[in-house]
Amino acid sequence: MKRRDFFKRSIFGLSIPSFIFGNSKVSRNKNKPVIITTWNYPKANEIALGLLDNHGNAIDAVEAGCRIVEADEENIYVGIGSLPDENGKVTLDSSVMDSRGNCGSVAFLQNIIHPVSVARKVMDDTKHVMLVGDGAKKFALSKGFKHKNLLTKKSSKAWREWLKNKRNMSPHDTHDTISMLAQDHNGDLAGACTTGGWAYKMHGRVGDSPIIGAGLYVDNEIGSAAATGLGEEVIKISGSFLVVELMRQGYSPTEACEKALSRVIKGHNGNPDFQIGFIAMRKDGEVGSACLKWSFDYLVSKNMNTKLYKVKGLIN
Ligand code: ASP
């Protein structure tokens, strides 16, 4: 759909999904379970789907899916092997949110391989939503997580190369957050995201991924959304919350992602030079996505099949 057409439809032709007016607890989705994940990491969907197929719940599925990517040393954006900050420290951000509106997150977490599971523990075992830095690490150790060096040979080599001229890295050059949204057999929604963040960032920098409402948001009556890309800009528009609120107003998942991005475009005089990608899932199981520039890959699992989609940027 052309952007102009999209705005016409947005203004004059809102199609409000019937579940918003009906009993919102009842999902009309016949294709459950459903998963949508940023980028192309099919193993993560496979594991999450296996769990959902065995009548596992959505929050367990997204945690399990994210853990697969966190444990992969070859992936230089998430978990072990993530590209470090300017000081050579791997610092990780992650969040989870479930169908009852519970959420947990960790930011600036070091030396713990599974930030998504620490975020889950914050949600399940504490009165808090977010733990950061040393506090998050101490909490993780107290819960049985092990201290581990997360800087692999590969990411250390890349960092030492970067140190030679400290080229300003655009986040588009270097990072890919894994954000996963799922709907289980009960129709319940949950989401998680996990990232090593912006490569060679300032020590202490935290992105959107652990900020509930920015990198991730779930409202079990309406839908869920998650982000990847330049976290600073996602935070400025409360991106994932905005996408869910736009679905509440009647926009489809894709339209909601596009409309949220149109704010970013406007805020940057029509020409932002960075990437943001959103994924969204509506309570009826419809999924959608949009990105600002270039293109963006995402995986959808439905009817026990996983398919890769590519969406083109709104302003290429
Ligand atoms: N959104 C993440 C951050 O800014 C990284 C990414 O998705 O590329 O930390």
Side-chain angles (χ1 to χ4, degrees), residues 217-219 222-225 240-248:
Y217 197 70
V218 176
D219 180 326
I222 301 299
S224 55
S240 296
F241 179 73
L242 178 59
V243 171
V244 171
E245 289 309 297
L246 287 163
M247 288 194 284
R248 191 190 305 278

Side-chain angles (χ1 to χ4, degrees), residues 130-179:
M130 187 175 200
L131 292 178
V132 305
D134 270 356
K137 186 176 166 192
K138 279 189 189 124
F139 170 72
L141 294 174
S142 79
K143 291 289 169 185
F145 292 82
K146 298 280 173 267
H147 176 105
K148 191 161 173 70
N149 174 23
L150 303 180
L151 189 65
T152 55
K153 275 192 184 143
K154 186 174 165 185
S155 50
S156 165
K157 190 171 167 224
W159 171 63
R160 278 184 278 111
E161 269 307 303
W162 174 80
L163 278 179
K164 289 180 188 160
N165 54 14
K166 299 195 174 178
R167 184 165 78 85
N168 202 3
M169 304 299 283
S170 136
H172 179 61
D173 291 336
T174 61
H175 57 133
D176 285 1
T177 294
I178 290 293
S179 297

Side-chain angles (χ1 to χ4, degrees), residues 38-39 77 93 171-172 174-179 193-199 201 205-210 215 227-235 275-277:
T38 54
W39 307 112
Y77 308 112
D93 296 341
H172 179 61
T174 61
H175 57 133
D176 285 1
T177 294
I178 290 293
S179 297
C193 56
T194 180
T195 189
W198 188 340
K201 61 200 170 192
R205 182 265 188 188
V206 166
D208 58 315
S209 305
T228 180
L230 185 53
E232 282 73 1
E233 297 296 332
V234 177
I235 292 170
Q275 178 67 304
I276 295 177

Side-chain angles (χ1 to χ4, degrees), residues 35-39 178-181 192 215 217 224-228 240 243-244 247 253 257 277-281 287-290 296-299:
I35 302 171
I36 180 168
T37 314
T38 54
W39 307 112
I178 290 293
S179 297
M180 180 178 269
L181 306 171
Y217 197 70
S224 55
T228 180
S240 296
V243 171
V244 171
M247 288 194 284
C257 295
F278 285 118
I279 53 172
M281 180 183 293
V287 292
S289 173
F296 163 58
D297 294 341
Y298 62 99
L299 288 171

Side-chain angles (χ1 to χ4, degrees), residues 97-116:
M97 190 158 186
D98 76 8
S99 61
R100 289 167 298 158
N102 299 316
C103 46
S105 78
V106 287
F108 193 57
L109 177 66
Q110 297 179 58
N111 296 112
I112 300 287
I113 194 170
H114 286 303
V116 73

